[in-house]
Amino acid sequence: MMPSFFIAHGAPLLAIENNIYTKFLHALGIALPKPVAIVLFSAHWESATQKVSDVEDFETIYDFGGFPAALYQIKYPAKGSGLVTNKIEEVFTKNEIPFEVDNRRGLDHGAWVVLNMLYPDADIPVISMSVNPNLPPEAQYKIGKSLSKLREENILIIGSGGTVHNFGTIKFGSENGDADQWAVEFDQWLDRHINNWDLDTLFNYKSLAPAADLAVPPHGNEHFIPIFYAMGAADNERTGKLLHNSYRYGNLSHSVWQFGV
């Protein structure tokens, strides 16, 4: 049984840096059993209807600007898996989850920054998945839950985003590792309720979590919600643990939660 994960992809610069967080992700990729495929929900692929990739050879998308030239030289030439895409189609059809298959879109940085640190050889098939910020958390969780059986086939499910991700509060000149107290309190609240698998409270994070309006700003929940897809994939076990938590620029969170096993 493969666990599922929520992994913060942080700023694109992580792809060319060597710091405490990148070291952790490299080590995590080595420690995990090698999956037969990876299903990844990216905060940077939003759609009203759930999208499922069926791409033979992924292009690397540079969906950012103004960064060092070295970042644009990185390629992550992952391949897809028609077999796994078909499994997902069958599961979604059975669970009456509307979806569309996409056979053109490459991997955005929410996907390849994480994947390149976990599995730099790009030798594991990837199925890229969109997220829908307009769905209620219960529906996002349900989509992840429908895929839980894939974990029994050694398929790794990842939600890639960031629990605290607000460009209005980020202090880009701050690299001393200090974190804003409100960001820490939000993540601590989140961890506590994940440990208890308190779905009713988590689904109502907007009104119940401290500093939720700062951590998850209005019209900016696309980075937070991948956690519900990843949690749903472990609904049969309902166990979660925080593996890593650090901050950059004052409040940009680098968090990794493992769900199941």
Side-chain angles (χ1 to χ4, degrees), residues 7-212:
I7 301 177
H9 59 250
L13 281 172
L14 284 176
I16 56 173
E17 293 179 325
N18 181 24
N19 56 42
I20 185 174
Y21 187 47
T22 62
K23 289 176 181 177
F24 172 81
L25 291 179
H26 285 305
L28 179 62
I30 293 170
L32 285 174
K34 188 173 182 179
V36 299
I38 301 168
V39 176
L40 188 145
F41 292 88
S42 173
H44 288 276
W45 189 10
E46 299 178 48
S47 65
T49 301
Q50 179 64 53
K51 296 290 184 70
V52 184
S53 74
D54 187 10
V55 175
E56 185 173 349
D57 296 287
F58 283 102
E59 294 184 358
T60 305
I61 301 174
Y62 307 101
D63 49 337
F64 46 75
F67 289 96
L71 201 54
Y72 302 90
Q73 304 306 312
I74 296 176
K75 303 288 184 183
Y76 196 79
K79 293 185 177 296
S81 170
L83 178 63
V84 177
T85 295
N86 288 340
K87 289 178 183 289
I88 295 172
E89 291 182 66
E90 292 171 4
V91 166
F92 282 169
T93 300
K94 179 181 178 180
N95 288 275
E96 299 182 336
I97 295 172
F99 69 93
E100 296 174 354
V101 175
D102 182 285
N103 55 19
R104 295 183 297 175
R105 193 177 189 275
L107 294 177
D108 58 64
H109 82 272
W112 65 258
V113 168
V114 169
L115 294 174
N116 195 43
M117 284 186 278
L118 293 175
Y119 303 108
D121 293 334
D123 58 349
I124 301 170
V126 175
I127 296 81
S128 184
M129 309 283 282
S130 67
V131 298
N132 183 354
N134 296 315
L135 284 179
E138 296 91 336
Q140 296 154 355
Y141 186 94
K142 178 185 175 182
I143 291 172
K145 180 180 178 180
S146 73
L147 302 176
S148 60
K149 288 288 186 181
L150 296 181
R151 296 173 48 228
E152 298 177 6
E153 301 179 37
N154 202 31
I155 295 172
L156 176 61
I157 299 175
I158 297 174
S160 172
T163 55
V164 182
H165 188 280
N166 185 342
F167 281 118
T169 61
I170 285 175
K171 306 163 188 172
F172 285 106
S174 177
E175 290 282 7
N176 59 10
D178 292 340
D180 293 335
Q181 187 61 30
W182 62 264
V184 174
E185 290 176 357
F186 178 84
D187 277 338
Q188 289 176 341
W189 178 92
L190 186 60
D191 186 46
R192 184 165 63 254
H193 291 288
I194 286 175
N195 285 334
N196 295 328
W197 214 264
D198 185 356
L199 296 180
D200 287 341
T201 299
L202 289 167
F203 291 162
N204 288 284
Y205 71 92
K206 290 182 181 179
S207 59
L208 298 178

Side-chain angles (χ1 to χ4, degrees), residues 236-251:
N236 56 331
E237 293 168 280
R238 295 196 166 197
T239 59
K241 56 184 175 182
L242 181 62
L243 301 184
H244 179 92
N245 183 229
S246 58
Y247 297 88
R248 189 172 195 179
Y249 308 137
N251 51 65

